[in-house]
Amino acid sequence: MSRRSGILEFAVLGLLRESPMHGYELRKRLNTSLGVFRAFSYGTLYPCLKTLVANGWLIEEPGTGPADAPAAPLAGRRAKIVYRLTAEGKEHFEDLLSQTGPDAYEDEHFAARFAFFGQTSRDVRMRVLEGRRSRLEERLEKMRLSFARTRERLDDYTLELQRHGMESVEREVRWLNELIESERAGRDQRSSGPDGAAQQDTSGETGGLPRHRDSTRPDPSDDTAT
């Protein structure tokens, strides 16, 4: 499985965990909710769905109810198929959510992972955020070194493009720092009660986002951060 198809399978499983959907609804959600999938076509989505069905992670059901009325067979057209997550599919998705390997820090995979942080445990969120920050800090250092070596040989427009790239990465690092600090603050608040007594950490809860975030925060799928 390619990295690209693996990201798509992850996103499809995550969206279907929320509710069953038609292929059309899935593609719309992938395009609108997860910007990293804006370029995906039905020719890419449906083979992915067939693979997930063959693996036992999804089942196909005929569309029913008023919402599916337009999908009724007309002029030889087949009714729409609704895709539903199976118990095995849910277990597989939860296993994917728990993984924090290097792929989770890459641009497209991180954007997909971040989109499902609300379903991810706090400890895993922290590892992914810290891994992403470390990856971007390494990238930023290389960009700065390259800029210092080549700036005398480049024209003004190329230099400006390189500055823009560095500023984009710097902005995402600052954003990640805010998220990490908020996650840590949320974990600390839940680790002890008002009297200092230890409490169970409800690590699946959301609440790690900064309360007041800058409206210019980066889109994790922004290609300018590459």
Side-chain angles (χ1 to χ4, degrees):
M1 180 193 305
S2 69
R3 178 180 297 177
R4 185 79 164 165
S5 62
I7 298 170
L8 179 59
E9 290 186 5
F10 172 84
V12 167
L13 291 171
L15 289 174
L16 290 176
R17 189 186 185 194
E18 298 173 2
S19 66
M21 297 184 203
H22 299 135
Y24 171 79
E25 293 173 309
L26 263 174
R27 183 170 181 266
K28 184 176 180 181
R29 288 289 304 279
L30 288 167
N31 290 344
T32 58
S33 302
L34 304 174
V36 68
F37 296 106
R38 280 189 286 265
F40 273 90
S41 65
Y42 289 115
T44 303
L45 176 60
Y46 281 110
C48 171
L49 290 170
K50 294 299 182 184
T51 297
L52 296 176
V53 170
N55 288 340
W57 297 330
L58 302 181
I59 58 173
E60 297 176 327
E61 299 176 339
T64 58
D68 302 316
L74 293 173
R77 295 182 180 179
R78 295 184 300 172
K80 289 184 179 179
I81 298 298
V82 172
Y83 295 90
R84 183 184 299 275
L85 198 65
T86 64
E88 292 80 6
K90 181 178 179 181
E91 182 178 350
H92 178 62
F93 179 68
E94 290 174 350
D95 179 61
L96 293 176
L97 280 179
S98 69
Q99 296 177 13
T100 58
D103 281 352
Y105 316 146
E106 299 299 337
D107 296 336
E108 292 182 346
H109 207 154
F110 173 75
R113 287 299 301 267
F114 190 84
F116 295 101
F117 263 21
Q119 303 179 42
T120 306
S121 70
R122 181 170 289 107
D123 289 344
V124 171
R125 291 199 301 262
M126 282 290 293
R127 289 197 294 273
V128 173
L129 290 172
E130 289 174 341
R132 173 67 174 175
R133 180 177 63 180
S134 177
R135 180 62 51 85
L136 289 184
E137 287 174 340
E138 293 174 2
R139 182 185 301 175
L140 185 58
E141 181 62 22
K142 291 178 181 178
M143 293 173 75
R144 286 169 174 163
L145 290 173
S146 176
F147 183 79
R149 288 196 303 266
T150 61
R151 62 184 306 169
E152 299 299 331
R153 302 193 301 270
L154 300 177
D155 61 66
D156 291 343
Y157 294 101
T158 304
L159 286 173
E160 192 60 31
L161 184 62
Q162 290 198 2
R163 289 193 187 96
H164 174 67
M166 287 191 295
E167 289 171 359
S168 297
V169 177
E170 290 169 347
R171 186 168 63 250
E172 185 171 347
V173 169
R174 291 194 298 270
W175 175 66
L176 290 167
N177 285 336
E178 291 179 4
L179 290 171
I180 290 169
E181 290 174 6
S182 296
E183 290 285 351
R184 286 174 177 163
R187 182 173 58 187
D188 292 343
Q189 289 172 1
R190 288 169 174 80
S191 64
S192 62
D195 58 356
Q199 292 184 339
Q200 184 177 0
D201 178 16
T202 53
S203 57
E205 294 181 358
T206 57
L209 294 177
R211 183 166 297 177
H212 300 289
R213 287 177 292 169
D214 188 343
S215 60
T216 61
R217 67 186 184 279
D219 179 348
S221 63
D222 187 354
D223 290 338
T224 60
T226 58

